[in-house]
Amino acid sequence: MRGVVGPSVPALALCILGLAAGSPTVATSGPVAVLLAGCELGRRRSRAARRYRARALPAVVDHLIQQLRSGCSLRQGCLRLADLDAAVVPEPLAPFLDALAAGRTLVEAADRLAADPDRSIRLLAVTLRVLATNGGPAVPALQRLRHSLIGAVHAGDRTAAEAGQALASAGLLAAAPGLFAVVVAAVDGRVARLYLFEPLGAGCVFAALVLSTLGWWWMQRLIDSAADPWR
């Protein structure tokens, strides 16, 4: 939502400017382009946050293992996560830590993460809940969990690196219609007038903008799904 609200002011300004200049293209495609750019920025931020959480969780599990080996109980080790730097512990774990600090049981605290959209967070919660409910040696289970999380991070990084060429090609294909229109309009003033001031040209620009953006998001969705084993 924030990615849409942020660009609303420049989008409105473009709409007013287009109406004042008599350009249906600026009045329609301009605001849409700004809003789409805001959505794309929000999507990139969400993906970066997801990758940050994926990289931070193995360190959190490793800290728990160290605390258990030093003689702490599983609950005590989880409580000591609050002593770590805020940059180390992912923000989605805050409800879990707050519940422990309020005196909730480890099972009740782990249940706070049951609805988290990140599957790696839910996997950590299920592991802690099972250990708290059934008991048994926690270190081997947490070690296996840590290896699974690290393997998922490495698989995601490898897939993202291999998808670099596909992303570059998709970006070129998405930008090609707009670049072609700009070049043609710069060469021929009649085409520029068509695109800027004629309803038919405005419709062509609007359709090209929307279709190119949808194609770009579709490619991104395919790549993100392949790069994130927990989705």
Side-chain angles (χ1 to χ4, degrees):
M1 185 66 181
R2 295 171 63 182
V4 176
V5 174
S8 59
V9 173
L12 180 60
L14 276 176
C15 183
I16 296 174
L17 177 62
L19 292 175
S23 173
T25 299
V26 176
T28 55
S29 296
V32 171
V34 172
L35 294 176
L36 290 176
C39 291
E40 173 66 13
L41 180 60
R43 188 193 63 79
R44 288 176 178 267
R45 287 175 175 172
S46 176
R47 183 177 61 181
R50 194 166 62 244
R51 289 181 176 176
Y52 164 75
R53 291 195 299 268
R55 287 175 170 80
L57 280 179
V60 170
V61 176
D62 189 55
H63 177 79
L64 287 177
I65 293 173
Q66 293 177 10
Q67 294 299 318
L68 291 173
R69 285 175 171 171
S70 67
C72 293
S73 66
L74 183 59
R75 176 183 172 81
Q76 291 172 334
C78 291
L79 280 170
R80 291 187 179 183
L81 290 175
D83 298 332
L84 297 178
D85 190 276
V88 177
V89 181
E91 189 273 336
L93 292 183
F96 170 73
L97 298 178
D98 291 342
L100 287 178
R104 302 286 185 180
T105 66
L106 188 55
V107 172
E108 292 173 333
D111 286 341
R112 296 288 184 92
L113 304 177
D116 194 280
D118 193 324
R119 291 186 181 181
S120 58
I121 298 288
R122 298 203 302 271
L123 180 60
L124 172 63
V126 169
T127 302
L128 294 176
R129 194 181 193 285
V130 170
L131 289 173
T133 302
N134 298 336
V139 171
L142 291 175
Q143 285 178 328
R144 289 191 292 271
L145 173 62
R146 180 176 177 273
H147 291 157
S148 297
L149 294 174
I150 292 177
V153 171
H154 290 168
D157 290 343
R158 183 171 59 254
T159 304
E162 293 173 351
Q165 184 66 36
L167 276 177
S169 300
L172 181 61
L173 289 174
L179 294 175
F180 178 77
V182 169
V183 171
V184 174
V187 172
D188 192 335
R190 293 173 299 177
V191 176
R193 179 171 180 79
L194 171 67
Y195 283 147
L196 288 175
F197 299 104
E198 298 295 335
L200 178 60
C204 292
V205 172
F206 184 85
L209 174 65
V210 172
L211 292 176
S212 296
T213 303
L214 290 177
W216 170 251
W217 284 350
W218 179 67
M219 287 293 296
Q220 287 280 355
R221 182 177 179 82
L222 291 178
I223 293 173
D224 285 348
S225 298
D228 188 353
W230 301 115
R231 290 188 65 176

